[in-house]
Amino acid sequence: MKDRNIPLFKSLYLLVFFADALFTPFVALDLVALNMTSLQKGLILGLLPLGSFLGNLVFSFFTGSFKRNKILLEITSIAQALMILGCALFSNFTLLIISFFFSAFFNSAYFQIEDGTSIVAIKKEKRLFNEIRIFGSIGYCLSLLFTAFALKNITYKILFSISASLFLLTALVLIFLKSYPEEIKPKEAKERSPINRTFILYFIFYVFCIGSQNVEAYLFPLYYSYTGIEDSIYSFCSFLRTIVETVIILLYKPIKKLLKTSKMGLLASAILEILSTMSALLIPSTSNLVSISIAFLFRGLASGLIIISLVEAINEIFGDSKTAKNLNLIKGGMYLFTGIGNFLFTYVLKNISYQYDFLILLAFKMIGLIFLVLSMSKRKKV
């Protein structure tokens, strides 16, 4: 059993990230291909992060033992497959908005539950989380490499249908996971997390900086389509970003030694996020693969550092009993920011240029960086 679950989880991470990369990065481009109005695009893109937030919130009440989480993973993977298939097959706007909303609802829940479940197997084997998580990044890279060539010959409907099929295959693989006789049940803190200075500063940093990154993730494909850049180039640059992120995860031990603390990792990621937006602002004057690649290179570096540093930083500040609660609050705020941003930038602010969109998001990232720097003053652990 020890030898069985670890390889299965590696396969699951590889499979589900491959499937997700066939769908999530191309949602905005699919809406463009469907000739939707600015209002329709704004509604769908605005509802996606709301669906993600609600998915995390709802399923947080049902997660628990390894066996229960395994069942939830099976349910969410099947539901995700059905919703993505709906996105591929439906042409009615009402049915599409329902499909896209619930695809986000189940998608976000799946990844959170998978991480929480795989940790049990990792602890049993006394392994490190990056040994499993790296297969997710590899799967994402392979998928984006595939789409860079496939999009020249297939439609988004076919791409989404392949994604749905792989999520169904994920549900099949999950059946072979074996529950442990003695389950690890984390002790839940019943006290409410205090709203203190450190929490507020971290909250503003993450919501503004990473929330702006998420808004950019939806704007980038629309922006590139507007400037006449081919979908295959966008896919290739996304592949480059994921490759860089994967390398950062692989090298997280020496990087951690170099940066000394997880807070410095967050600081470096915030600076790289700002550089990414600044690079995007240069694209209209050059409109070449080099400038786009630089923007995505910075995003990959920043993303890898966030994956490494975020949980550790929150844990160091708030302790084991309050880490999950504070992460939920921070990520909930980020999803809300992203949803509002997606709606505003794709509908309300549709008449201003993309240059101004990115300048506004750059300002939010800089504000986030300021609050992160303020949070780095020494405080007692709460």
Side-chain angles (χ1 to χ4, degrees), residues 125-139:
E125 290 283 327
K126 297 181 180 179
R127 310 277 282 273
L128 297 174
F129 179 68
N130 77 307
E131 294 180 38
I132 289 180
R133 177 58 178 80
I134 194 64
F135 282 87
S137 295
I138 292 172

Side-chain angles (χ1 to χ4, degrees), residues 1 3-13 66-67 69-71 73-74 110 113-114 117-118 121 132 170-180:
M1 182 168 62
D3 295 330
R4 188 179 205 180
N5 280 354
I6 295 296
L8 281 174
F9 271 118
K10 290 179 179 179
S11 300
L12 285 168
Y13 272 89
F66 188 97
K67 183 177 181 180
N69 289 351
K70 176 177 172 288
I71 294 172
L73 286 173
E74 292 169 351
Y110 177 90
I113 299 169
E114 184 177 53
T117 309
S118 64
I132 289 180
T170 298
L172 179 63
V173 175
L174 283 164
I175 295 174
F176 296 97
L177 281 178
K178 296 295 183 181
S179 299
Y180 296 104

Side-chain angles (χ1 to χ4, degrees), residues 22 24 148 166 183 187 239 268 289 338 365 369 374:
L22 296 177
T24 302
L166 292 176
E183 310 213 349
K187 200 174 191 179
F239 167 70
L289 182 59
T338 304
K365 287 185 177 183
L369 175 60
L374 290 174

Side-chain angles (χ1 to χ4, degrees), residues 286-325:
T286 55
S287 292
N288 57 47
L289 182 59
V290 174
S291 58
I292 302 171
S293 298
I294 291 173
F296 274 75
L297 172 65
F298 285 132
R299 288 195 69 200
L301 292 169
S303 179
L305 286 172
I306 281 287
I307 291 173
I308 294 169
S309 306
L310 178 63
V311 176
E312 289 184 352
I314 298 297
N315 184 262
E316 289 169 5
I317 294 170
F318 296 103
D320 293 341
S321 64
K322 300 174 185 176
T323 296
K325 282 189 176 182

Side-chain angles (χ1 to χ4, degrees), residues 177-232:
L177 281 178
K178 296 295 183 181
S179 299
Y180 296 104
E182 295 181 7
E183 310 213 349
I184 300 175
K185 295 183 179 180
K187 200 174 191 179
E188 296 182 358
K190 297 191 177 182
E191 71 273 18
R192 185 178 178 180
S193 297
I195 304 300
N196 56 33
R197 175 184 179 274
T198 306
F199 175 80
I200 292 172
L201 294 175
Y202 257 73
F203 182 89
I204 296 173
F205 154 69
Y206 195 81
V207 168
F208 280 13
C209 193
I210 308 306
S212 296
Q213 176 205 60
N214 285 353
V215 175
E216 284 181 351
Y218 287 104
L219 285 178
F220 271 146
L222 301 175
Y223 180 41
Y224 294 155
S225 177
Y226 172 78
T227 56
I229 295 168
E230 294 180 4
D231 293 354
S232 58

